């Protein structure tokens, strides 16, 4: 109560001055040049290995109970981070595992088609973001917990995840972990604390259920095998960050598993849904591109009783679909910014500026890099052909190569997003299903512009489109 009363009397000018001063002291450096990004993240990759400790998600890892409940995003580069990242890759993201998820992808795509088909008659209008997000979140929860949840549980959990991400994004943009910054954000902290408790209430019974199944030897789901939570329960991490495990290894605490589950559910849903929405908007706006993509899908897809089968092997054989998705990611990286911090002593050269390493924070503008007119011809035009053989970017993919960066929607360097392959698979699976099963036409209400929302850059006005089920 005392903090609440004190906050009410903090003059606005004090908060403003504090914000200005914190920004200066943070040694904040913005990079939107692809050459400098390559120099920083690839050539000198070992200099910028961590997320800045001052940003809220990192501070939150120790804010509540004094114990670090890190996820892959917040953990410092080191043995603990490597153990978490390697576990996620081996459990779900390795190419050898992605093919085993084909039945789940097929069921999720069919659920999306059924949802849209039930929303209206021929020529119905739909806001596409909701159905896509719902289908993707259902897929993410199955990968995480298996088939322990029903639809009502998923809806509650999805709402809590969205509210949690929005609450963190709504905090004062300057957060350095100090008492004053916590004071400025006290209302947001209360909201986030309540949502964290709610997440634990939702996740822990499911985590315990997976633990019991594992102990009984019945933890493998028919369509999935081991879930992400199963792998976290089996994981042993080095004690006190010991690199070789000489001090022993320990199981993850429940708080750490909750943090990792929240990270997975948020990351596996928001970015893919945002990319599908942007891509579909471009396809509706350019019917010739839509028709070319539909022809490729029609040639490759096998159908059974009218149901589209979209396996990872079939999707990997669609070069135009791949080009369409990469072009959308170039123009609209779902996460528009990424932050890094220097960890070594001494000055660091960032572009033409030399800055001290102590406290250095670097922000990479992924949207600007993908639309740099020095790297791209007509960068503001949606042109998938540029990624096909003979195009200006035929050798460019969603991850930058060792020699040059032209786009980096999934980051670059040591801390690039490990879910690149899965994210691309989810996007292509849902997009192919939407194009193959429905005819699309624009709504009279046009969509334009973008806005930052809960870490993502989404359409300012959600995409409205008219759809008709194809026979």
């Amino acid at each position: 109560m005392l903090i609440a009363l004190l906050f009410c009397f903090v003059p606005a000018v004090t908060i403003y001055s504090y914000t200005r001063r914190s920004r200066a002291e943070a040694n904040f450096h913005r990079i939107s040049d692809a050459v400098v990004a390559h120099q920083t993240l690839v050539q000198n990759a070992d200099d910028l290995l961590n997320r800045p400790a001052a940003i809220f998600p990192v501070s939150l890892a120790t804010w509540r109970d004094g114990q670090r409940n890190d996820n892959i995003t917040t953990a410092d580069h080191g043995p603990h981070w490597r153990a978490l990242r390697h576990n996620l890759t081996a459990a779900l993201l390795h190419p050898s595992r992605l093919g085993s998820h084909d039945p789940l992808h097929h069921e999720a795509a069919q659920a999306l088609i059924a949802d849209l088909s039930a929303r209206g008659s021929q020529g119905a209008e739909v806001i596409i973001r909701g159905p896509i997000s719902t289908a993707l979140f259902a897929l993410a929860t199955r990968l995480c917990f298996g088939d322990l949840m029903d639809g009502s549980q998923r809806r509650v959990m999805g709402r809590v995840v969205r509210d949690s991400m929005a609450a963190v994004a709504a905090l004062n943009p300057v957060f350095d972990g100090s008492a004053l910054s916590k004071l400025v954000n006290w209302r947001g902290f209360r909201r986030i604390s309540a949502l964290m408790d709610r997440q634990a209430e939702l996740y822990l019974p499911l985590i315990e259920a997976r633990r019991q199944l594992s102990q009984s030897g019945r933890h493998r789901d028919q369509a999935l095998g081991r879930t992400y939570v199963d792998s976290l329960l089996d994981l042993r991490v080095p004690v006190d960050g010991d690199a070789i495990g000489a001090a022993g290894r320990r199981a993850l605490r429940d708080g750490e598993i909750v943090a990792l589950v929240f990270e997975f559910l948020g990351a596996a849903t928001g970015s893919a849904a945002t990319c599908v929405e942007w891509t579909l908007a471009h396809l509706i706006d350019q019917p010739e591109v839509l028709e070319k993509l539909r022809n490729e899908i029609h040639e490759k897809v096998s159908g059974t009783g009218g149901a589209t089968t979209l396996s990872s092997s079939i999707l990997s054989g669609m070069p135009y679909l791949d080009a369409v998705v990469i072009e959308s990611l170039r123009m609209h990286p779902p996460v528009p910014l990424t932050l890094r911090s220097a960890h070594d002593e001494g000055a660091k050269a960032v572009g033409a500026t030399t800055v001290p390493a102590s406290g250095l924070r670097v922000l990479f503008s992924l949207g600007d890099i993908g639309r740099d007119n020095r790297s791209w011809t007509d960068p503001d035009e949606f042109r998938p052909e540029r990624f096909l053989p003979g195009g200006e970017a035929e050798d460019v993919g969603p991850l930058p190569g060792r020699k040059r960066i032209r786009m980096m929607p999934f980051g670059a360097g040591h801390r690039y997003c490990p879910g690149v392959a899965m994210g691309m698979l989810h996007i292509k699976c849902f997009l192919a299903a939407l194009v193959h099963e429905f005819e699309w036409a624009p709504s009279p209400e046009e969509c334009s512009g973008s806005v930052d929302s809960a870490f993502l850059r989404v359409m300012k006005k959600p995409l409205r489109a008219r759809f008709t089920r194809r026979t």
Side-chain angles (χ1 to χ4, degrees), residues 152-343:
S152 61
Q153 287 176 297
R154 286 195 181 96
R155 284 191 291 273
V156 172
M157 188 177 291
R159 185 164 55 249
V160 172
V161 170
R162 290 192 300 272
D163 289 348
S164 298
M165 296 179 69
V168 173
L171 292 174
N172 188 298
V174 177
F175 181 87
D176 61 5
S178 69
L180 184 54
S181 65
K182 292 179 180 179
L183 178 62
V184 170
N185 286 291
W186 77 272
R187 290 182 184 275
F189 280 174
R190 289 182 60 185
R191 174 66 172 156
I192 290 167
S193 179
L195 288 166
M196 289 173 63
D197 290 339
R198 182 62 177 138
Q199 284 186 59
E201 292 175 3
L202 293 170
Y203 300 161
L204 288 177
L206 296 170
I207 292 169
E208 181 59 29
R210 296 305 309 183
R211 183 181 281 116
Q212 295 299 322
L213 286 172
S214 179
Q215 291 173 354
S216 67
R218 296 182 292 108
H219 64 288
R220 291 185 178 272
D221 290 70
Q222 183 175 0
L224 174 63
R226 294 176 75 246
T227 67
Y228 183 42
V229 168
D230 292 334
S231 74
L232 294 176
L233 291 170
D234 292 341
L235 179 63
R236 298 296 180 267
V237 296
V239 173
D240 298 326
D242 181 61
I244 60 175
R249 291 181 176 268
R250 63 172 179 84
L252 292 172
R253 297 185 298 273
D254 281 351
E256 292 174 299
I257 297 178
V258 167
L260 288 159
V261 167
F262 171 50
E263 174 187 51
F264 178 81
L265 294 178
T269 304
S271 296
T274 299
C275 182
V276 173
E277 183 181 23
W278 278 113
T279 310
L280 190 59
H282 281 291
L283 293 175
I284 294 172
D285 188 55
Q286 299 185 39
E288 69 283 0
V289 177
L290 176 60
E291 188 60 26
K292 186 174 181 179
L293 177 59
R294 177 174 287 132
N295 289 338
E296 180 184 70
I297 296 170
H298 180 72
E299 291 176 2
K300 297 289 184 178
V301 165
S302 60
T304 303
T308 304
T309 302
L310 293 166
S311 67
S312 55
S313 60
I314 290 175
L315 292 169
S316 65
M318 298 185 189
Y320 197 67
L321 173 62
D322 198 55
V324 165
V325 173
I326 296 176
E327 174 70 339
S328 180
L329 289 168
R330 177 191 69 81
M331 296 184 67
H332 311 284
V335 181
L337 306 170
T338 187
L339 286 166
R340 296 288 187 273
S341 64
H343 66 285

